Amino acid sequence: MNEFSVAERDNTVITFEQHTLLQQKRYPGASGSFAWLLSGLTLATKIIQAKVRRAGLTDVLGEAGATNVQGENQQKLDVFANNVLLHYLGLRDSVGILASEENEEPFVLKQSADAKYIVIFDPLDGSSNIDVNVSVGTTFSILRRPNDPYERDDAVDLLQPGYKQVAAGYVLYGSSTMLVYSAGDGVHGFTLDPAVGAYVLSHENIRMPAQGKWYSVNEAHLDTFPAAYQAFVGGLRGGALGKRYASRYIGSMVADVHRTLLKGGVFLYPPTADNPQGKLRLMYEANPIAFLIEQAGGKALCGRERVLDIRPDSVHQRTAIVCGGTREMEYFERCLAESE
Ligand code: AHG
Ligand code: MN
Ligand code: MN
């Protein structure tokens, strides 16, 4: 019997740090630098959540007066969250490249052999909802680059398809703050205990139901969706899967996906007249979500293609996404086949 299992039995609290260290013990030779990288992420998101929690009390609501690379108005909290993540992740020796929704160009920080990770993130997702006290989130995707600095090509190393993610997840600043994470070994949820200041394992090995009862989509754009997507939503509503689905959509992807992951159903942002390529950004929104959904037993597609198979051309490229339980996704694939 090893010491950790005794400690776990005697003490019901397992923190994110303990959990990741235990997972790493399965890989002999792991240096601990990945766990140290993750501690940068947990520290930054705790600082962000503290700011979000006090948002109505301090002068952090509203627009910052600038637009980001996507042409969207930056909120003050977008800027704050971005700076915090850049700072604390940038301090980690193992982080070589950082790319954010809020910065046009990625930051190439280090070329030492240790700097073998790339972190791509959306510092605050759903930020247009902040002023009205709706849940927001942070999404992140972690990639490897070659150990040997001479084998590196920063542009190529950054633009890897999502199936190569070594880890990905999100933090939801909701009624509680929750970190949902996968390193390719199942999906685990950790709730921030504000009394202790630690992310504590609360949802071990999340499996999403094969079928749920909700679809989550901005239905205002329905008449501009491609035919298969219209048929899919219409079918769910009309009882094609044996029940009439209801809708849930808040417009904060992390919150909408979190409900879908835990309760089942489907979340989608199809191509629309305004956003023919879809609206969500592949590398820091769709890829982490697709990774989690697949790890939890669901599927994530862009049309016929797996989101995780898309080869990116640019760090800010957009994609359509449909992700959910296996029954809903089988039905989506049937709608695609029938629309051809
Ligand atoms: P962000 O706040 O990072 O720009 O992302 C907003 C995204 C996402 O959270 C959400 O799913 C989607 O925008 C909502 O878009 P619509 O308002 O078009 O439905
Ligand atoms: Mn976003
Ligand atoms: Mn954002």
Side-chain angles (χ1 to χ4, degrees), residues 57-199:
L57 302 170
T58 54
D59 184 31
V60 292
L61 291 179
E63 294 177 3
T67 51
N68 66 13
V69 54
Q70 341 271 341
E72 299 154 345
N73 286 332
Q74 280 181 316
Q75 306 287 316
K76 289 179 194 165
L77 273 171
D78 282 325
V79 176
F80 176 84
N82 195 39
N83 289 341
V84 170
L85 281 158
L86 290 173
H87 178 73
Y88 288 102
L89 288 171
L91 288 178
R92 299 303 188 250
D93 291 338
S94 63
V95 175
I97 302 180
L98 285 173
S100 162
E101 177 187 36
E102 300 300 335
N103 299 102
E104 184 152 6
E105 297 295 332
F107 296 95
V108 179
L109 303 173
K110 300 168 204 104
Q111 290 298 5
S112 56
D114 290 348
K116 57 192 179 211
Y117 293 106
I118 300 168
V119 188
I120 311 173
F121 57 87
D122 177 356
L124 213 51
D125 176 70
S127 56
S128 64
N129 281 324
I130 295 167
D131 288 1
V132 291
N133 219 341
V134 164
S135 302
V136 291
T138 295
T139 57
F140 59 90
S141 164
I142 304 177
L143 297 165
R144 276 292 299 253
R145 67 203 290 232
N147 285 351
D148 183 348
Y150 293 104
E151 283 176 23
R152 291 178 185 158
D153 177 331
D154 298 333
V156 175
D157 298 343
L158 180 67
L159 298 177
Q160 298 180 50
Y163 72 83
K164 293 208 164 157
Q165 292 170 107
V166 290
Y170 58 76
V171 177
L172 172 63
Y173 311 107
S175 44
S176 60
T177 296
M178 200 170 157
L179 168 63
V180 178
Y181 170 84
S182 177
D185 201 357
V187 181
H188 308 288
F190 302 82
T191 302
L192 182 67
D193 182 339
V196 181
Y199 286 107

Side-chain angles (χ1 to χ4, degrees), residues 118 120 141-144 155-168 282-284 286-288 290-291 294 305-315 317:
I118 300 168
I120 311 173
S141 164
I142 304 177
L143 297 165
R144 276 292 299 253
V156 175
D157 298 343
L158 180 67
L159 298 177
Q160 298 180 50
Y163 72 83
K164 293 208 164 157
Q165 292 170 107
V166 290
L282 172 64
M283 296 203 73
Y284 40 83
N287 271 344
F291 192 72
E294 285 199 2
E305 194 179 11
R306 236 173 122 212
V307 168
L308 296 181
D309 284 337
I310 300 172
R311 296 191 174 270
D313 298 318
S314 124
V315 72
Q317 97 184 46

Side-chain angles (χ1 to χ4, degrees), residues 72 101 122 124-127 218 249 251-253 269 279-281 285:
E72 299 154 345
E101 177 187 36
D122 177 356
L124 213 51
D125 176 70
S127 56
N218 188 339
Y249 189 75
S252 241
M253 181 191 70
Y269 208 112
K279 179 180 180 191
L280 299 177
R281 276 57 59 109
E285 292 178 328

